[in-house]
Amino acid sequence: MARAAVLGRLTWQVATLTATRDETATAKTLVLDVPGWPGHLAGQHVDVRLTAPDGYTAERSYSIASPPDGDRLELTVQRIADGEVSPYLTETLEAGDQLELRGPIGGWFVWDPDSAAPVLLVAGGSGVVPLMSMIRARARAGSGNKVPFRLIYSVRTPADALYADELTKRARDDSLGLSYVYTRMAPPGGPAPGRISATVIASAGWPARSPEPPAVFVCGPTGFVEAAARLLIDAGHAPARIKTERFGPTGT
Amino acid sequence: MGIISRGFSGRRRDGGEKLPPGQYLVTDFPVLSAGPTPKVSTGTWQFTLKTEKGQTRSWDWAAFTALPSEQITTDIHCVTKWSKLGTMWKGVAIDTLLDGVDTGASYTMARSYGGYTTNVPLADLRAGKAWIAYEFGGKPLHPEHGGPARLLVPHLYFWKSAKWVTGIDLMERDEPGFWEQLGYHNYGDPWREQRYWGD
């Protein structure tokens, strides 16, 4: 089903906003109804197109946060203060409004639910969105049938973490390994703020040399992905087992 | 025209007239890579041109950077929608590498350290349209952006400009490269918005 969807022609489809959820002060999940949505694989994204009354259009890509679920699609959008599209999606768009999108896009940064390999997810900031789709897709598998998943999630402060309550629940009910790295401000009583490090990778990741080498997905801003990928390679993970997705400016 | 987005006016930035459809302007230089940035030393770097008959020409770093080079100023367009105008590069024209090569090939596959591949018709690499670039903005090309050297084919979406390039194979028949097998357009002309299969 979804596999075939990757291969088809991608036509623009009309989506209707049915609900929103505030995830943080600056990020919102858009719950969309997309009649005829062809299905997707966890980790894929869509292109969104907005059209002004005079015909001017703007397109952006957004990761899918939801697991495959019929015509229902959830996108989590991080508002960029001077952005052209994200302020509209997070502040102006209301339930009942329509927008155009096409997808699913990207056949590489995807988790295959049939794979038996343990999975290590490494997220920086809103890079957790496509990884959340994987966590949610795994949650659907019957108990006893879930491959081991661990998430290392780097955020500035606890208030910046997307899906915090749901991740806590997945850790409790779903044996999701969950470790946070706080870069600016950590909760009281825990470790001081810091960056992702070899120590974090060693304690919260999977050993690289296992009978079934782990599949690793890293998503976040470019600097974060570069740093995390280097640490993972230094820890012995094969570059070919590390899939990355980057976004945002590099400052260069 | 698609459906109108209620309350959306958008922001028409300067330079918009130079942008292919669906693109927006950036002033920084975003990165898109499928995996970790490979460590490639210029001490072991090699570039190999291989014809469809299996004949090869290879250069090490010293020999390659001794080839006649060109300064290139060009706009670049990434399939993830950003465009950057007036980027400045230094590199060796593919025409220079092909000089005197006997080939009847119509297609090519660029190969990179790390295993990445991308296919480009040979005609799109000829006639001053493509280079192997090793400087960006007057400095050695940063590894994140494909250094030591990357293919530069700026008239196609930027995934065709293979980072960490180590060779080009000339082929009689076309074959899809890495992203081209994963749903992205086989040719990738930004002005025709050829992003994905079927565009």
Side-chain angles (χ1 to χ4, degrees), chain B residues 29-105:
Chain B
F29 192 170
V31 169
L32 184 77
S33 307
T37 298
K39 288 178 189 163
V40 185
S41 156
T42 53
T44 54
W45 183 89
Q46 195 168 44
F47 185 87
T48 301
L49 182 72
K50 188 167 127 193
T51 73
E52 71 277 18
K53 297 196 174 83
Q55 294 158 329
T56 60
R57 277 184 177 189
S58 291
W59 295 265
D60 63 12
W61 188 252
F64 197 87
T65 52
L67 292 169
S69 62
E70 297 176 11
Q71 303 284 343
I72 308 111
T73 300
T74 185
D75 302 342
I76 55 177
H77 310 291
C78 179
V79 72
T80 62
K81 318 258 164 30
W82 58 265
S83 290
K84 189 171 170 65
L85 305 182
T87 60
M88 294 166 73
W89 307 79
K90 179 181 172 184
V92 177
I94 305 296
D95 296 307
T96 303
L97 305 179
L98 287 170
D99 191 30
V101 171
D102 177 28
T103 178

Side-chain angles (χ1 to χ4, degrees), chain A residues 22 82 135 199 216 228:
Chain A
D22 290 331
D82 62 345
I135 289 168
T199 311
V216 186

Side-chain angles (χ1 to χ4, degrees), chain A residues 6-10 12 14-15 45 47 49-61 82-85 88 92-94 97-100 102 105-108 222 226 229-230 233-234 239 242-252, chain B residues 1-13 21-25 27-39 79-82 84 114 136 142-145 157 163-164 178-179 181-184 193-199:
Chain A
V6 180
L7 308 179
R9 180 188 163 88
L10 297 177
W12 289 101
V14 176
H45 61 275
D47 283 359
R49 179 166 73 184
L50 302 179
T51 303
D54 65 354
Y56 170 83
T57 61
E59 290 179 30
R60 295 292 188 279
S61 297
D82 62 345
E84 182 181 28
V85 172
Y88 176 84
T92 307
L93 199 68
E94 292 175 356
D97 284 345
Q98 293 184 321
L99 53 77
E100 287 178 295
R102 64 177 186 155
I105 296 160
W108 175 249
T222 298
E226 289 290 326
R230 258 195 307 273
I233 289 168
D234 290 346
I242 305 171
K243 297 189 176 187
T244 64
E245 188 143 284
R246 304 156 207 241
F247 57 80
T250 63
T252 54
Chain B
M1 190 190 299
I3 57 159
I4 303 297
S5 309
R6 180 193 58 79
F8 177 70
S9 60
R11 182 192 301 164
R12 273 135 272 217
R13 305 187 205 201
Q23 296 293 108
Y24 66 94
L25 196 59
T27 51
D28 55 25
F29 192 170
V31 169
L32 184 77
S33 307
T37 298
K39 288 178 189 163
V79 72
T80 62
K81 318 258 164 30
W82 58 265
K84 189 171 170 65
F136 175 75
H142 194 278
E144 279 172 30
H145 292 304
Y157 279 124
K163 291 191 256 193
W164 315 299
F178 178 86
W179 286 119
Q181 294 174 49
L182 290 168
Y184 287 80
E193 206 169 359
Q194 293 173 334
R195 298 181 193 276
Y196 314 116
W197 292 359
D199 281 354

Side-chain angles (χ1 to χ4, degrees), chain A residues 88-173:
Chain A
Y88 176 84
L89 293 178
T90 53
E91 292 170 342
T92 307
L93 199 68
E94 292 175 356
D97 284 345
Q98 293 184 321
L99 53 77
E100 287 178 295
L101 56 77
R102 64 177 186 155
I105 296 160
W108 175 249
F109 195 83
V110 293
W111 176 60
D112 175 2
D114 295 329
S115 164
V119 173
L120 175 59
L121 308 173
V122 184
S126 55
V128 75
V129 175
L131 308 183
M132 196 63 193
S133 176
M134 300 180 191
I135 289 168
R136 288 167 167 165
R138 168 185 176 266
R140 297 236 173 131
S143 57
N145 205 10
K146 293 188 172 88
V147 300
F149 258 49
R150 286 182 175 173
L151 170 66
I152 300 172
Y153 188 9
S154 173
V155 288
R156 287 197 185 97
T157 74
D160 293 306
L162 299 173
Y163 319 122
D165 291 346
E166 184 178 347
L167 287 171
T168 302
K169 181 176 180 303
R170 301 283 180 217
R172 190 188 62 218
D173 302 345

